[in-house]
Amino acid sequence: MARNNIYQEEEFPSPLMQLWFHFRQSPVVKIGFGCFLFLCFLAIFSSLISPYSPVENHLDSLLLPPAWDDNGDVSYLLGTDNLGRDMLSRLIHGTSLTFGLSFIVVLISLVIGVVIGSLSALTKGVKSSFLNHFLDVILSIPSLLLAIVIVAILGPGLNNTLWAIVMVLIPQFIHITRNAVAEEFNKDYVLASRLDGANSIRILHYSIFPNIIEKLISQATLAQSAAILDIATLGFLGLGAPIPMPEWGAMLANGIDLFYIAPWTVYLPGLAILFSVVAANLVGEGMRHALKARKES
Amino acid sequence: MLIFTLRRLNLFLFTMLILSILSFSLSFLFPGEQIINISGQINATPEGIELVALEYGKHESLITQYWIYLNQLFEGNWGVSMTSQLPIYGEILNHLPATIELTMTALFIAMVTGIPIGFIAAINHRKKADDFILSFAMIGYSIPIFWLGLLTILIFSIQLGWLPSAGQISLLYEIKQVTGIQFIDILLSDSPYKWQAFQNASSHIILPSCVVALAPATIFIRLARTSMLNVLDTHYIKAAMAKGLTFQQIIYRHAIRNALVNVIRDVGLQFANLVTLAMVTEVIFSWPGIGRWLIESIYQRDYTAIQGGLLALSCFIFLVHILTDFIYATLNPLARETHRGPQ
C-alpha cells in the first residue's frame, strides 16, 4: 500500500474525534446540531439580541397578535401578552433560563455522577451490590415525583428546582459510568498499564476516561432533553420559576387563562420547548448512531 | 422458575425496605417538627403532641422509631392530612384507583398502537415509511405533555366539541364507589342508566389517556423496531427463508412472537415514565387521581400527604414492574432458566 505520509508515526484520531467524524455524516443530525448551537448562542447573548426587556410593560399594546396577523404590529414580531410584554424578547430570555439552565444542570450532575460512579466501580462486594440495588430503586421512582418531593423539602423556587433536577439526574450518570468503567476495566489494555504499575486512579484518568467520555456525552445530551422538559413542567405546575420570569413553562402557565382570546401566548412557548427538546434529542440520537457506527467499524 | 421467583421476592423486599426508609427519613427532612410531619396532627395541643410522640416512640432510638413506623404502615395508620385532617390511607385508597384506571388504559393504548407501528417500521427498514415513523416518534417523545394536553382540549373539546375536557364522569350519573375503578363500578351498579354512564365514562377517558399514551407509544415504536430488526437478523429467520416460507409467513409465525417478548421486558421500565406523564395530565384534565392530589398537597405544604403519596405511588410502580418481569419470564424460557440456551 502506498503511503502518503512520509513520517513513520501513524496518527490515530482520539475517540472523541472519531465520534465527531461519524457524527457529522448525517444531514438531519447536522441540522439538529445547528439548532442546538443556535439555542446556545441565544442563551448566552439573550440580553443583547432581544429587542425589549422581558419584564417591560407596553400598556398601549396589550395582547397584540403576532405580526403576520391583520391586527399585528411589526415592532412586536411575535405579539405581546396580557401585560404588554413582548413575546419575542421573553422567548429569547427564556432560552437562557430553560435551555441554558438545563445545560448547567446536566453538567453539574454529570460531574457528580461520574465521580461517584467511577469510585463505586472500584469497590466490590456488598457495598457495590447495595449501591446497585439502591440505584435501581431510585431509578424506578418517576423523575418528576422525585423532583416534586425534593422541591417539597427545599421549598418552591427556580434554584431549588434546579437542585432537584440535578439530584434526579445523578443516578443515571452513576449507573452509566459505573457500567462503562467496569466494562473497560476488564479489557487487556488496562491490564497492561496495571502491569506497568499504574494505580487505579491513574488508570481511570489516563486509560479509561478518554475511552468512555463519548458514552457520557451521549447520555448527557439525552439527559438534557429530559432536563428541559422537567424544568418546563415544574415551571408549568407553579413549583419552579415564579410567574414573572420568562421561563417557558411558567410563560405557558401564565397564558392558559387567555388561551381562547390569545392562543399565541400558549402556542409559542410550547413550540419553543418542542424545538429545543427536538434539537437536544437529534444531537443525542446522532451521537448514539455515531457511537454504534464507530463500534462496528 | 422457583429460583427466579425467589430472586424477585428478594429484590421486592429490598426495594420495600429502601422505600420505607426513604419515606421515614422524609419526615425528618421536611421543614417543621418531625412528629407533626409524620402524623399530620397540625392542630394538636402540646399534650396531644406528647401522646402522638409516645405512640410513634419518639423517645426511643431511631431504629425503634422506624420499626413502630413500619407497624403503623401495616396497620393502615398513615397519619392524617395536614389540611383536611382526613386519614391519608383512605385518601390514597380513594385516589389511587382513578390513576390505575388512567395509566392502565394509556399503557394499553400505547402498546396496541406503538408495537405494530414499530414492527411496520422494522419491516420497511431504511425506506420512506421507516423514516417517517422515526421522525414522528422523535416529535412524539419531545412534545411537552402539558402543551399537548392543552392543545387537545382546545381542538377536541372546545372547537370540535367531540369529547369532554375535565373529570372522570359527568356529575349526572351517581355511581356508588365499590372498587374505585370507574368502569367496574358502573358494571356492578344497578342503575337503570348503566350504559349511558358507561358511554359517558369512556368518552371522558379517551382524551387524557391518549395524551398520556403518546410519549410511551413512541418509545414502544422504537423498542419494537429495534427488537424486530434484531430478530430479522437471526439465523432461524434465515433458515425459515431457506425453507421457502413467504415473507408474511415468516413475520406472522416467527418474527412477531420473538420480537414481542423482548418488548414486553421493557414495559415495566417505561411504566415509571408513564406515571410521571399521568400526574401532569391529571392536573390538566382535572382527573381525580393521586397525581393531582399529590401536586395539590405540595401547594398546601401537606407533608404527611406527600410522604404517603410517594410511598403508595412508588409501590404501585414497583408492583407493575415485578408483574411485567413475571409475564416476561413466563413467556420467555431463556429468562428464567439459563440451561435452556446461552444467555
Side-chain angles (χ1 to χ4, degrees):
Chain A
M1 201 177 89
R3 291 175 65 118
N4 299 328
N5 195 346
I6 56 166
Y7 297 106
Q8 284 297 307
E9 300 100 300
E10 279 194 58
E11 204 189 343
F12 288 104
S14 69
L16 216 54
M17 284 310 291
Q18 289 179 30
L19 185 75
W20 170 241
F21 178 74
H22 286 289
F23 179 75
R24 59 180 189 188
Q25 299 291 320
S26 153
V28 182
V29 172
K30 249 191 215 163
I31 296 174
F33 192 59
C35 296
F36 194 84
L37 290 182
F38 171 68
L39 284 170
C40 290
F41 174 77
L42 280 189
I44 296 169
F45 297 105
S46 55
S47 45
L48 293 178
I49 306 169
S50 61
Y52 303 95
S53 148
V55 287
E56 187 186 346
N57 298 337
H58 305 277
L59 292 176
D60 45 342
S61 44
L62 298 180
L63 285 179
L64 219 56
W68 53 85
D69 195 274
D70 288 340
N71 302 321
D73 183 348
V74 81
S75 52
Y76 305 103
L77 194 61
L78 295 178
T80 55
D81 67 0
N82 56 338
L83 295 176
R85 295 173 292 196
D86 180 42
M87 285 299 282
L88 181 65
S89 316
R90 279 177 76 74
L91 284 176
I92 292 176
H93 277 274
T95 321
S96 59
L97 284 179
T98 310
F99 184 81
L101 287 180
S102 75
F103 198 85
I104 296 170
V105 160
V106 169
L107 217 59
I108 297 174
S109 47
L110 178 71
V111 171
I112 300 176
V114 166
V115 170
I116 300 178
S118 37
L119 287 181
S120 82
L122 298 179
T123 58
K124 289 198 175 61
V126 183
K127 250 192 289 181
S128 124
S129 150
F130 178 81
L131 185 85
N132 223 0
H133 280 301
F134 185 73
L135 283 181
D136 280 347
V137 175
I138 296 290
L139 285 172
S140 75
I141 301 177
S143 64
L144 186 70
L145 184 59
L146 206 57
I148 284 179
V149 169
I150 298 173
V151 169
I153 295 172
L154 300 172
L158 187 59
N159 278 339
N160 294 340
T161 332
L162 296 183
W163 285 116
I165 296 171
V166 166
M167 282 189 241
V168 168
L169 289 179
I170 287 174
Q172 45 174 294
F173 284 117
I174 297 181
H175 199 76
I176 196 155
T177 318
R178 214 180 104 83
N179 289 348
V181 170
E183 193 187 315
E184 292 296 315
F185 251 102
N186 288 329
K187 290 189 177 165
D188 286 344
Y189 74 95
V190 175
L191 189 67
S193 43
R194 193 173 282 277
L195 288 176
D196 282 346
N199 62 8
S200 296
I201 302 293
R202 196 182 163 82
I203 292 178
L204 267 184
H205 183 233
Y206 285 101
S207 311
I208 290 182
F209 278 140
N211 283 303
I212 63 167
I213 191 150
E214 35 183 51
K215 271 187 198 162
L216 298 176
I217 292 178
S218 121
Q219 178 69 24
T221 43
L222 293 177
Q224 195 187 358
S225 69
I228 297 173
L229 282 178
D230 280 353
I231 292 179
T233 308
L234 287 173
F236 174 77
L237 292 176
L239 302 170
I243 286 284
M245 264 193 174
E247 196 276 317
W248 290 337
M251 277 171 77
L252 215 156
N254 185 31
I256 288 185
D257 302 337
L258 308 159
F259 196 10
Y260 312 123
I261 34 173
W264 60 91
T265 53
V266 173
Y267 287 144
L268 293 173
L271 276 179
I273 300 171
L274 181 63
F275 177 75
S276 57
V277 177
V278 167
N281 271 334
L282 274 179
V283 174
E285 281 295 300
M287 208 78 92
R288 273 228 306 242
H289 274 284
L291 266 181
K292 224 170 116 191
R294 199 171 80 77
K295 281 267 152 61
E296 280 164 6
S297 67
Chain B
M1 198 69 191
L2 182 70
I3 294 174
F4 180 82
T5 316
L6 283 179
R7 274 166 77 180
R8 290 300 126 166
L9 200 67
N10 184 18
L11 181 67
F12 178 73
L13 289 179
F14 184 82
T15 309
M16 287 302 132
L17 182 74
I18 297 271
L19 278 178
S20 56
I21 292 178
L22 198 70
S23 158
F24 177 65
S25 50
L26 277 182
S27 63
F28 291 92
L29 294 171
F30 283 136
E33 280 285 315
Q34 185 258 341
I35 199 70
I36 295 177
N37 286 340
I38 205 167
S39 62
Q41 302 284 358
I42 201 160
N43 301 325
T45 53
E47 293 81 43
I49 292 280
E50 192 51 39
L51 278 179
V52 177
L54 273 180
E55 192 188 345
Y56 278 90
K58 186 69 187 155
H59 306 297
E60 319 269 332
S61 71
L62 264 184
I63 296 176
T64 327
Q65 282 184 44
Y66 170 66
W67 181 246
I68 293 172
Y69 171 68
L70 269 191
N71 281 331
Q72 301 268 19
L73 281 187
F74 280 114
E75 280 164 25
N77 178 13
W78 292 37
V80 295
S81 159
M82 283 181 175
T83 43
S84 63
Q85 295 290 312
L86 290 169
I88 301 283
Y89 189 65
E91 289 276 287
I92 287 174
L93 281 188
N94 272 338
H95 289 103
L96 194 57
T99 303
I100 295 178
E101 194 179 339
L102 180 66
T103 48
M104 286 303 160
T105 321
L107 187 66
F108 178 74
I109 296 177
M111 284 174 75
V112 168
T113 53
I115 295 174
I117 295 180
F119 287 161
I120 293 172
I123 292 166
N124 297 311
H125 186 43
R126 302 228 166 109
K127 288 189 196 145
K128 281 262 158 53
D130 186 26
D131 292 341
F132 176 75
I133 290 172
L134 275 188
S135 25
F136 167 75
M138 167 75 83
I139 294 180
Y141 69 80
S142 304
I143 206 164
I145 179 96
F146 43 93
W147 192 58
L148 180 72
L150 291 173
L151 288 189
T152 50
I153 289 182
L154 182 75
I155 296 170
F156 292 105
S157 12
I158 292 169
Q159 287 182 349
L160 296 173
W162 289 350
L163 297 164
S165 66
Q168 204 176 9
I169 191 167
S170 167
L171 293 174
L172 291 174
Y173 302 100
E174 203 173 310
I175 302 293
K176 211 172 85 206
Q177 189 165 9
V178 188
T179 56
I181 294 176
Q182 193 85 49
F183 286 106
I184 300 178
D185 282 355
I186 291 173
L187 292 179
L188 285 177
S189 75
D190 40 11
S191 150
Y193 303 106
K194 213 165 161 176
W195 288 111
Q196 283 93 324
F198 192 80
Q199 278 174 358
N200 191 281
S202 12
S203 71
H204 273 86
I205 206 172
I206 291 175
L207 267 191
S209 57
C210 285
V211 168
V212 177
L214 180 73
T218 55
I219 291 171
F220 284 134
I221 289 179
R222 293 158 52 87
L223 287 174
R225 181 177 168 273
T226 323
S227 144
M228 187 60 137
L229 283 179
N230 285 340
V231 167
L232 287 180
D233 214 30
T234 51
H235 290 304
Y236 58 82
I237 295 290
K238 279 200 196 90
M241 263 185 220
K243 260 181 10 185
L245 295 185
T246 63
F247 190 64
Q248 272 167 349
Q249 278 173 324
I250 292 177
I251 293 292
Y252 285 118
R253 286 194 201 158
H254 299 279
I256 285 190
R257 291 180 184 191
N258 288 298
L260 208 54
V261 165
N262 288 327
V263 181
I264 286 177
R265 182 183 49 192
D266 293 318
V267 169
L269 288 176
Q270 289 312 316
F271 197 71
N273 183 19
L274 198 143
V275 171
T276 309
L277 298 175
M279 285 173 63
V280 182
T281 315
E282 278 172 10
V283 175
I284 296 169
F285 286 90
S286 321
W287 190 263
I290 198 166
R292 181 160 154 253
W293 177 71
L294 253 177
I295 289 172
E296 270 168 15
S297 15
I298 298 213
Y299 295 145
Q300 293 154 350
R301 309 279 156 85
D302 189 344
Y303 298 119
T304 324
I306 299 172
Q307 200 182 357
L310 173 77
L311 193 61
L313 210 49
S314 16
C315 285
F316 168 55
I317 291 165
F318 202 72
L319 280 178
V320 173
H321 201 139
I322 294 234
L323 204 66
T324 48
D325 262 4
F326 269 104
I327 295 175
Y328 175 64
T330 344
L331 291 177
N332 189 1
L334 282 180
R336 55 175 194 263
E337 284 154 59
T338 40
H339 66 82
R340 298 232 189 200
Q343 269 289 22

